[in-house]
Amino acid sequence: MSNQEQNWIQAYMKETFSEQKKARRWGIVFKSLTFLYLFVALFMVMQSTALKPGPKQSEDHTAMVSIKGMIAPDQDANANAIVTALRNAFDNEQAKAIMLHINSPGGTPVQAGYVYDEIQRLKGLHKDKKVYAVISELGASGGYYIAAAADEIYADKASLVGSIGVTASSFGFEQTLDKLGVERRHFTAGEHKAFLDPFSPLKQDEKVFWQEVLNDTHQQFIDAVEQGRKDKLAGQDKTKLYSGLIWNGRQAKALGLVDGLGSPGTVAREVIGHETIVDYTVKPSPLAAFTKQLGLALGTGIAQQVSQPGLAM
């Protein structure tokens, strides 16, 4: 190799290393700017949360507890958070009434049942405080289950209300495996241990058993609605009412599922008589909310939906 070729190779390698160094430096700069942006955004979220003005809890007011989104253990509308907010609201003497502000498609029967039972318990301890449920866009299934614990239920004329039923779904892939020539090897102890396995054929006796579980859970839902609404549903076609159908607010009022039409503001002002509303909802920390917005919890949520079949309202 000639000296000229060696010099050319050395110059090329030197230039390559120089470009790599520049790329690393720019990479560090961009990463630093990204972290700085995230830090500033998080700081702004925390500041907006901390500085947000609101009515004082030391004044007479209507205590509001929001139930938004899916009612499930890993969601903002989980039973622990809702119950904590309810207890705080009931314990404050200046909270003259409790308002459940509901916008939920439902959730798990267990979580909805926890909240329903706690509302009934707290009402028994604080007989001077009434509970009002106000449904905005959606008060369906588990959302209506909780609303049924209130003394009175209100909704907008276009709100969607009802869906008094229970559902459980999965898929069956056993024929797909046969077509692909894949042999399923699943070992269990217990004849029916794998009856929800989507890769195993569904047996008739297991189908009957699972339907019995759904029917019994549905009856628990019906009993809660009957206990909460009492004679307000008298004269209605119960078969249709508890079929899982959903109605708008105006129709729900005619059926006795809600007592009247109104928003949180109008109910606080015209029904409760205390227009000032104080929000007792337990909110996630700014950091948790911020990371959730970035989608860091997406993978976990999808995995849970795929791997944990169960009942839903």
Side-chain angles (χ1 to χ4, degrees):
M1 181 182 296
S2 66
N3 290 335
Q4 184 177 2
E5 291 175 334
Q6 290 179 354
N7 292 336
W8 183 87
I9 292 175
Q10 290 176 356
Y12 174 78
M13 295 298 293
K14 183 177 180 180
E15 182 66 22
T16 300
F17 288 137
S18 177
E19 290 297 327
Q20 289 178 346
K21 288 181 180 179
K22 290 180 181 178
R24 283 196 296 268
R25 283 197 296 268
W26 278 111
I28 294 173
V29 171
F30 283 123
K31 289 178 181 178
S32 300
L33 289 174
T34 300
F35 281 114
L36 179 61
Y37 168 78
L38 295 176
F39 177 80
V40 172
L42 178 58
F43 178 78
M44 292 176 65
V45 170
M46 294 177 67
Q47 286 295 103
S48 64
T49 302
L51 298 177
K52 185 178 180 180
K56 295 180 180 179
Q57 294 185 6
S58 59
E59 302 172 352
D60 289 351
H61 60 269
T62 296
M64 183 176 72
V65 176
S66 294
I67 302 172
K68 296 183 179 180
M70 288 294 295
I71 304 165
D74 58 341
Q75 300 295 318
D76 293 344
N78 64 82
N80 286 338
I82 298 170
V83 166
T84 297
L86 287 168
R87 290 172 181 169
N88 292 337
F90 270 98
D91 287 342
N92 191 337
E93 295 183 358
Q94 271 60 54
K96 301 305 178 181
I98 314 300
M99 178 191 295
L100 304 171
H101 186 202
I102 298 173
N103 183 16
S104 172
T108 74
V110 173
Q111 294 284 297
Y114 281 165
V115 178
Y116 180 98
D117 292 343
E118 184 64 10
I119 292 172
Q120 299 287 30
R121 186 187 75 84
L122 291 169
K123 284 168 60 177
L125 294 176
H126 304 269
K127 298 184 184 299
D128 58 327
K129 291 187 180 181
K130 293 184 67 175
V131 178
Y132 301 82
V134 181
I135 296 170
S136 54
E137 280 80 7
L138 185 61
S141 211
Y144 187 79
Y145 191 134
I146 293 175
D151 296 290
E152 297 178 18
I153 304 175
Y154 292 83
D156 183 81
K157 59 184 179 297
S159 301
L160 294 178
V161 180
S163 188
I164 302 173
V166 182
T167 182
S169 60
S170 63
F171 297 92
F173 295 108
E174 66 275 9
Q175 294 182 1
T176 302
L177 294 182
D178 292 340
K179 291 179 180 179
L180 293 174
V182 178
E183 179 185 1
R184 172 72 164 160
R185 296 175 181 176
H186 191 190
F187 306 100
T188 63
E191 181 183 357
H192 302 291
K193 181 62 179 176
F195 81 95
L196 291 176
D197 175 34
F199 297 101
S200 301
L202 179 64
K203 301 176 183 177
Q204 184 59 33
D205 60 335
E206 293 174 343
K207 180 180 179 180
V208 171
F209 164 77
W210 193 229
Q211 188 60 53
E212 290 175 351
V213 173
L214 294 176
N215 291 342
D216 187 69
T217 307
H218 186 205
Q219 188 59 51
Q220 295 174 26
F221 192 172
I222 293 172
D223 292 343
V225 173
E226 291 282 339
Q227 178 186 0
R229 299 301 291 163
K230 297 182 174 62
D231 59 350
K232 297 176 180 179
L233 301 176
Q236 299 298 333
D237 181 357
K238 298 297 181 64
T239 301
K240 181 179 180 180
L241 204 62
Y242 301 140
S243 66
L245 289 174
I246 193 166
W247 296 272
N248 66 35
R250 182 178 294 165
Q251 294 171 319
K253 183 177 182 298
L255 292 170
L257 292 173
V258 304
D259 297 282
L261 303 179
S263 66
T266 57
V267 171
R269 181 176 59 255
E270 300 174 9
V271 179
I272 299 174
H274 292 278
E275 186 173 4
T276 300
I277 298 175
V278 174
D279 192 354
Y280 282 72
T281 308
V282 175
K283 298 178 175 63
S285 67
L287 179 60
F290 185 67
T291 54
K292 187 174 182 178
Q293 287 180 345
L294 290 176
L296 298 180
L298 179 61
T300 302
I302 294 175
Q304 289 175 342
Q305 291 296 322
V306 172
S307 63
Q308 296 181 6
L311 304 183
M313 284 182 168

